């Protein structure tokens, strides 16, 4: 039998190490560790790994596919965790996403926003959303362009069943995480400018992954999305 590629025994220590690193990065930048949320990205890992993290005190989890999470969710129905969709969402899955998740962090089009608003109304809830911004030509292809995002933000504010909390971005991958710094700084500026223009707080700045979250925290991240650092290496999907 092959060893599982995740080990539930390692999850509590991975979590406490990650929390310590978050606290140290916060301290270096004159911030309180309590300002920074840790989202454990459990995509590709089984429900048992999520349960092990929950038992170690973790409450926020990020998944990137509706279908994958739907099957895990059944096994986790008893856990009062906060489930967040961080991967690209196709409009035709808006209804399922609004049912399954507390927050959609990857909102990137007006069509999707309208469908999520209608779906949230059907669920009788107000759905938290982040707008995902596509920062540069080299970065991930998902997200709304910098030029289109202010109009999208204004349209989202007018949708009564969506609660716009802030922005998310995935900068390009660099071996040296310091090189991601200008991208994090850029996202923060976009958030600050938008918040000023809308005269409305946008507290969430979701940026930073396992290899670069300390730099992201130094640049103002309010939530880091850690997969590998908590659950271990992912095996590529077939
Ligand atoms: C997979 C994923 C993460 C976590 O990546 P790690 O490098 O394993 O920490 C964070 N954010 C998004 C959007 C992801 O898809």
């Amino acid at each position: 039998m092959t060893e599982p590629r995740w080990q539930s025994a390692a999850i509590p220590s991975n979590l406490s190490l990650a929390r310590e690193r978050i606290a140290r990065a916060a301290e270096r930048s004159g911030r309180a560790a309590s300002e920074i949320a840790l989202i454990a990205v459990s995509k590709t890992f089984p429900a048992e790994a999520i349960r092990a993290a929950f038992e170690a005190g973790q409450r926020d989890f990020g998944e990137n596919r509706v279908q994958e999470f739907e099957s895990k969710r059944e096994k986790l129905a008893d856990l009062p965790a906060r489930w967040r969709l961080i991967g690209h969402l196709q409009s035709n899955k808006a209804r399922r996403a609004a049912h399954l998740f507390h927050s959609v962090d990857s909102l990137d089009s007006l069509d999707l926003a309208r469908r999520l608003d209608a779906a949230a109304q059907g669920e009788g809830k107000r759905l938290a959303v982040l707008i995902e911004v596509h920062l540069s030509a080299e970065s991930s292809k998902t997200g709304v362009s910098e030029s289109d995002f202010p109009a999208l933000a204004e349209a989202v504010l007018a949708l009564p069943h969506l609660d716009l909390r802030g922005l998310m971005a995935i900068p390009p991958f660099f071996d040296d995480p310091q090189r991601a710094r200008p991208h994090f700084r850029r996202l923060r500026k976009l958030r600050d400018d938008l918040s000023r223009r809308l005269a409305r707080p946008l507290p969430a700045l979701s940026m930073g992954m396992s290899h670069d979250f300390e730099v992201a925290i130094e640049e103002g991240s309010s939530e880091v999305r850690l997969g590998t650092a908590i659950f271990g290496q992912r095996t590529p999907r077939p």
Side-chain angles (χ1 to χ4, degrees):
M1 225 180 87
T2 55
E3 287 293 306
R5 66 196 198 288
W6 61 280
Q7 296 199 313
S8 55
I11 292 173
S13 53
N14 289 348
L15 275 169
S16 49
L17 181 61
R19 290 187 193 119
E20 268 170 46
R21 289 173 62 189
I22 289 170
R24 279 201 300 271
E27 198 177 333
R28 273 201 302 282
S29 30
R31 308 179 61 202
S34 58
E35 290 173 35
I36 298 136
L38 164 56
I39 301 171
V41 178
S42 44
K43 66 187 186 197
T44 79
F45 293 97
E48 293 73 24
I50 296 176
R51 188 173 292 278
F54 184 91
E55 281 165 8
Q58 180 62 28
R59 291 294 177 269
D60 289 278
F61 293 89
E63 287 277 335
N64 71 338
R65 291 187 181 189
V66 168
Q67 196 139 342
E68 179 187 336
F69 184 57
E70 223 158 36
S71 59
K72 292 186 217 176
R73 180 77 171 95
E74 284 168 26
K75 299 183 189 144
L76 301 167
D78 59 312
L79 297 192
R82 288 179 292 273
W83 310 113
R84 310 184 41 160
L85 182 66
I86 60 170
H88 178 69
L89 177 61
Q90 290 167 319
S91 295
N92 63 6
K93 294 188 181 147
R95 191 162 293 280
R96 282 154 75 196
H99 176 69
L100 285 168
F101 293 98
H102 295 98
S103 175
V104 172
D105 297 355
S106 49
L107 181 58
D108 61 358
S109 77
L110 184 54
D111 176 48
L112 179 59
R114 289 194 176 120
R115 290 182 192 229
L116 283 173
D117 182 65
Q121 180 173 26
E123 292 285 323
K125 71 179 181 190
R126 193 145 181 258
L127 183 67
V129 293
L130 303 186
I131 291 180
E132 183 183 351
V133 183
H134 178 188
L135 285 176
S136 79
E138 329 140 68
S139 70
S140 136
K141 291 289 170 260
T142 54
V144 60
S145 70
E146 283 189 28
S147 51
D148 289 347
F149 114 89
L152 176 58
E154 286 185 30
V156 170
L157 281 186
L159 296 171
H161 306 282
L162 299 186
D163 176 22
L164 178 62
R165 295 181 47 254
L167 305 183
M168 193 258 268
I170 309 171
F173 180 90
F174 300 105
D175 286 329
D176 175 5
Q178 293 298 337
R179 292 184 59 202
R181 190 181 295 278
H183 298 275
F184 295 139
R185 201 167 279 176
R186 177 80 190 142
L187 188 70
R188 183 192 182 146
K189 183 176 185 322
L190 291 175
R191 190 277 308 267
D192 291 349
D193 290 350
L194 181 68
S195 173
R196 212 172 299 121
R197 194 163 55 243
L198 301 176
R200 184 179 189 287
L202 291 169
L205 201 51
S206 175
M207 56 188 200
M209 300 168 41
S210 292
H211 69 287
D212 59 13
F213 68 95
E214 285 146 314
V215 177
I217 289 169
E218 289 166 11
E219 295 301 329
S221 174
S222 71
E223 38 197 73
V224 293
R225 308 179 307 270
L226 307 186
T228 315
I230 307 300
F231 297 105
Q233 287 293 333
R234 288 180 293 276
T235 41
R237 293 180 216 260

